[in-house]
Amino acid sequence: MRASLGTLWIAIGAAASLLGLVTLAVGIGTKRPALLELGRRFVAVVVLAAVAAFAVMESALFAHDFSIAYVANNVARATPGLYTFTAAWSALQGSILLWVLALSIYVGATTWRFRARAADPLVAWATLVQFAILSFFFCLMLSGDVNPFKPISGAVPLDGAGPNPLLQNHPLVAIHPPFLYAGYVGFAIPFSFAIAALVTARFGEGWLAAVRRTTLISWGFLTIGIVLGAWWSYAVLGWGGFWGWDPVENASLLPWLTATAFIHSVMVQERRGMLRVWNLSLVLATFCLTILGTFLTRSGVINSVHAFSDSTIGPWLLTFLGVCAFTGVALIAWRGDKLRTPGRIDSPVSREAAFLLNNLLFAAFAIVVLTGTVFPLLVEALQNKQITVGEPYFARLAVPIGLALLFLMAVGPALPWRAASGELLRHRLLIPAWVGAAALLIAVLAGARGVANTLAFALAAFTLASIGRSFYVGIRGRRRATREGVPAATVGAVRGNPRLYGGLLVHVGVIVVAVALATTGGYTTHREVQLGVGDSARVRGYTVTYLGRDVSQTAQKTTIKARVRVSGIGVLAPAISTFPNSAEGIGTPSIHTTPWRDVYLTLVSAPTSGRVTIGVQVGTMVMFLWIGGLLMALGTALALVPARRRKVLPAVAELPHDDEVPALAEVST
């Protein structure tokens, strides 16, 4: 019953998407507003179908309806309720269903937002593109092995296999994937408006206003998803790290890099009308990279703890990726002459030049990651040889780019538009430069390891001081305006700029993450110690004593814990759990976290014969990674708050003795 009902809702969603696509195409071709309005109404049916299909899946999971193959393969009667709920996206078919649900919600919200502009060709074309993407994924789920409601072949089992052990071992499975999907899928909206802008030749600044908030929301979700993924890797996988340049990790980083570049460069187009081709290309590339990431994780072409099993979905995703990329490139080539802008960079020492260099560095970073991720796949496909591109490649190329981006993060906001004089730069950057130099000296005296780590500390201090100065100048400008009788509306224009201050808070979060990476990379100790009951070992000032083991068993799993006393902390209990559907044990680290130091214990193997091998890792400032991610999330939320005034009044520029107030406020225009 549920299998038929779920498949029916998917078919309704596919039919509504295709009908909306055709209706809008005819309405655009014949210029009939009634058809455009009718086409828009199909979005409601699509959203209803996606929500209903997902609800049917959850109902089947909790009812243990093992007549559905997906339920039989991904949940068991002993699976706890939380992991029964998250099983809806724990395998290939369910992940595509979640993809469609998130996309439907985005499209529904976008359609509602532009409900008064249904007859606008830009909005109509964007909705048509959104219907095309929805049609592809709905129809994909109707095919054989991608249908989440496919009935099981043969007799219906009395119990299911249960989720992948790694996906029922930590509550983050309920948070990380939805945030990541919300980030991935949301970039379909800017993509659709970019295509619409190219088709309608309205590629000025109007389409940017239409996608700014959605882009920032998607970027924020993806940022949180990546940070939560790092936390999950650290807290669940038991290897003591949080980022290993795994192909699936890289697949989420790639669209984040290009989207970050777009968020920065869009300000140049808004202010100076420049970089039109570049911004369109970044939007198109970001969406294409999300499809590439979907292909990498769901086609079975890579071996990863994050990837799904082999399937026939790969060729379809590659074809869809090719169509999206070809369409975007062809439209840009077609509109090439009209995309030229009269604006140009007047000086290499200007804000627009800094933004351009920033974009080039982000693009270079993306190329480095893309090459290291895809090159082994190409070699295997062409030469039938397996090679690995490991951390040394990424670190050697990515670290210098990251340091250069930190430097630009400090210098860029201090530069005015068009050109800057040497005197102005000295005035704005002298104090931050001295702070950076002092941090460099302190890092060297404190024994910082490696040139890159030492430079990271110095540049982080330089950037943080520059951001602090920007906050100070903004507050001083507001007070001066109030004191000297500037109209209240003008003061509000300076003060009511959440987009600017949200961006500065995001930058603070990035600095905190950079310092944490430098610290954990240079000051982490890892040892493996073999201990008998009552034996002790000394690791970086901590005495580790093995007290014995405990065994517990539930219907879900069997867990063996080692009780380990750590001096100054107490008893920690790293564990290994065995699940019925897996012969291999899954390790669970035990972590004692403080803002300055983490003690991280793992079981190298299950304790036997009174002896145990324990992995002991002492890391420094790991918590600041999560604090930095939180600051980035808060900064994104602040940047989404509507500004009190969207345009700076001329009176602001007339404030005496403060030429930086307009530079701070102009970002909100």
Side-chain angles (χ1 to χ4, degrees):
M1 174 63 180
R2 290 185 181 89
S4 299
L5 183 60
T7 302
L8 175 63
W9 279 116
I10 293 175
I12 291 173
S17 300
L18 291 169
L19 286 172
L21 175 66
V22 173
T23 303
L24 283 176
V26 174
I28 292 171
T30 59
K31 298 182 180 180
R32 295 170 61 184
L35 287 179
L36 298 179
E37 176 63 26
L38 176 62
R40 185 183 68 86
R41 294 182 181 277
F42 280 106
V43 172
V45 181
V46 170
V47 175
L48 175 63
V51 172
F54 191 82
V56 171
M57 173 55 69
E58 288 291 356
S59 171
L61 290 169
F62 278 97
H64 301 131
D65 187 350
F66 299 125
S67 65
I68 299 175
Y70 185 87
V71 177
N73 294 331
N74 293 285
V75 76
R77 296 187 185 277
T79 304
L82 174 65
Y83 302 115
T84 298
F85 176 76
T86 61
W89 54 79
S90 294
L92 170 68
Q93 297 85 351
S95 72
I96 298 298
L97 180 59
L98 181 61
W99 216 105
V100 169
L101 175 65
L103 180 59
S104 300
I105 293 173
Y106 268 112
V107 173
T110 304
T111 303
W112 174 258
R113 178 186 174 193
F114 294 104
R115 61 191 180 279
R117 295 174 55 186
D120 185 340
L122 179 72
V123 175
W125 272 104
T127 308
L128 184 148
V129 174
Q130 293 160 22
F131 271 133
I133 300 171
L134 282 166
S135 299
F136 170 77
F137 281 99
F138 268 113
C139 292
L140 192 65
M141 285 195 295
L142 288 176
S143 62
D145 64 345
V146 189
N147 184 356
F149 298 100
K150 181 180 178 181
I152 195 168
S153 58
V156 177
L158 297 177
D159 200 358
N164 183 318
L166 286 172
L167 301 180
Q168 53 176 321
N169 203 35
H170 199 284
L172 275 174
V173 71
I175 308 172
H176 163 57
F179 271 99
L180 205 62
Y181 279 63
Y184 256 41
V185 175
F187 291 121
I189 305 303
F191 172 82
S192 67
F193 274 92
I195 294 294
L198 286 166
V199 171
T200 59
R202 289 168 57 180
F203 32 70
E205 287 61 67
W207 74 276
L208 295 175
V211 304
R212 182 189 296 130
R213 291 183 64 82
T214 305
T215 303
L216 195 56
I217 289 170
S218 303
W219 183 88
F221 277 132
L222 186 56
T223 301
I224 297 170
I226 291 173
V227 174
L228 289 175
W231 189 11
W232 190 358
S233 181
Y234 182 71
V236 176
L237 298 184
W239 63 295
F242 36 80
W243 188 270
W245 298 104
D246 181 276
V248 178
E249 293 173 334
N250 295 345
S252 63
L253 179 62
L254 284 167
W256 185 88
L257 290 170
T258 52
T260 305
F262 171 72
I263 289 171
H264 285 83
S265 66
V266 71
M267 289 187 284
V268 180
Q269 184 172 345
E270 290 174 339
R271 175 73 182 188
R272 299 287 312 277
M274 300 166 54
L275 303 183
R276 287 180 177 177
V277 174
W278 182 250
N279 284 326
L280 286 164
S281 300
L282 285 174
V283 171
L284 299 176
T286 298
F287 179 70
C288 289
L289 287 171
T290 65
I291 301 301
L292 176 64
T294 307
F295 165 75
L296 290 174
T297 55
R298 288 157 182 81
S299 62
V301 299
I302 58 173
N303 294 317
S304 168
V305 295
H306 307 81
F308 297 104
S309 58
D310 193 12
S311 73
T312 60
I313 196 176
W316 290 106
L317 288 172
L318 274 183
T319 302
F320 183 65
L321 172 61
V323 170
C324 292
F326 175 80
T327 301
V329 172
L331 286 173
I332 289 177
W334 177 42
R335 296 294 193 184
D337 291 339
K338 294 184 178 180
L339 284 171
R340 294 176 182 174
T341 57
R344 63 183 180 85
I345 295 178
D346 299 325
S347 170
V349 187
S350 62
R351 186 171 298 190
E352 52 267 47
F355 276 129
L356 179 58
L357 182 56
N358 171 285
N359 269 238
L360 293 176
L361 288 172
F362 273 115
F365 202 158
I367 291 172
V368 166
V369 176
L370 181 63
T371 302
T373 305
V374 175
F375 182 71
L377 303 179
L378 295 177
V379 170
E380 184 176 359
L382 298 176
Q383 301 182 8
N384 198 27
K385 293 193 304 184
Q386 289 189 344
I387 66 171
T388 302
V389 176
E391 184 176 354
Y393 160 82
F394 292 104
R396 189 174 295 116
L397 296 177
V399 169
I401 297 175
L403 293 175
L405 287 170
L406 269 180
F407 175 76
L408 283 177
M409 198 185 301
V411 174
L415 295 174
W417 297 102
R418 297 188 180 276
S421 65
E423 181 181 355
L424 180 66
L425 289 180
R426 284 194 299 271
H427 173 66
R428 296 185 179 182
L429 295 176
L430 182 61
I431 293 177
W434 276 111
V435 173
L440 177 64
L441 179 60
I442 293 172
V444 171
L445 294 177
R449 304 173 186 177
V451 175
N453 285 344
T454 306
L455 285 176
F457 292 129
L459 288 172
F462 176 41
T463 307
L464 193 60
S466 178
I467 292 173
R469 185 181 179 282
S470 296
F471 275 114
Y472 169 74
V473 169
I475 294 171
R476 185 183 64 179
R478 185 181 67 197
R479 290 177 177 174
R480 179 174 297 171
T482 303
R483 185 173 63 248
E484 301 193 9
V486 175
T490 304
V491 178
V494 179
R495 178 177 55 195
N497 194 355
R499 186 179 171 196
L500 168 67
Y501 293 108
L504 291 177
L505 185 57
V506 169
H507 284 184
V508 172
V510 172
I511 294 167
V512 172
V513 169
V515 171
L517 290 174
T519 307
T520 56
Y523 298 93
T524 295
T525 301
H526 180 81
R527 281 184 56 192
E528 291 185 1
V529 295
Q530 290 187 343
L531 302 173
V533 176
D535 291 344
S536 299
R538 190 80 172 167
V539 180
R540 197 173 163 183
Y542 292 97
T543 300
V544 179
T545 305
Y546 177 45
L547 303 178
R549 72 171 193 169
D550 294 327
V551 180
S552 61
Q553 187 170 4
T554 65
Q556 180 200 14
K557 61 183 178 181
T558 300
T559 302
I560 301 176
K561 293 182 179 180
R563 290 180 288 110
V564 182
R565 184 172 62 241
V566 181
S567 60
I569 294 176
V571 177
L572 302 182
I576 291 181
S577 300
T578 304
F579 294 81
N581 63 338
S582 176
E584 186 176 349
I586 301 298
T588 302
S590 184
I591 310 169
H592 179 266
T593 298
T594 67
W596 306 109
R597 184 170 288 187
D598 272 23
V599 176
Y600 185 102
L601 302 185
T602 56
L603 286 181
V604 178
S605 59
T608 57
S609 303
R611 296 191 64 82
V612 66
T613 301
I614 300 173
V616 183
Q617 177 174 297
V618 181
T620 304
M621 292 179 65
V622 177
M623 183 184 287
F624 280 81
L625 285 169
W626 325 131
I627 293 174
L630 177 61
L631 290 175
M632 294 171 71
L634 292 176
T636 304
L638 178 59
L640 288 168
V641 175
R644 185 174 301 181
R645 297 183 67 86
R646 302 302 298 169
K647 200 166 187 178
V648 178
L649 297 179
V652 177
E654 298 168 6
L655 291 176
H657 313 299
D658 196 346
D659 64 339
E660 294 178 72
V661 174
L664 288 173
E666 64 196 357
V667 189
S668 69
T669 57

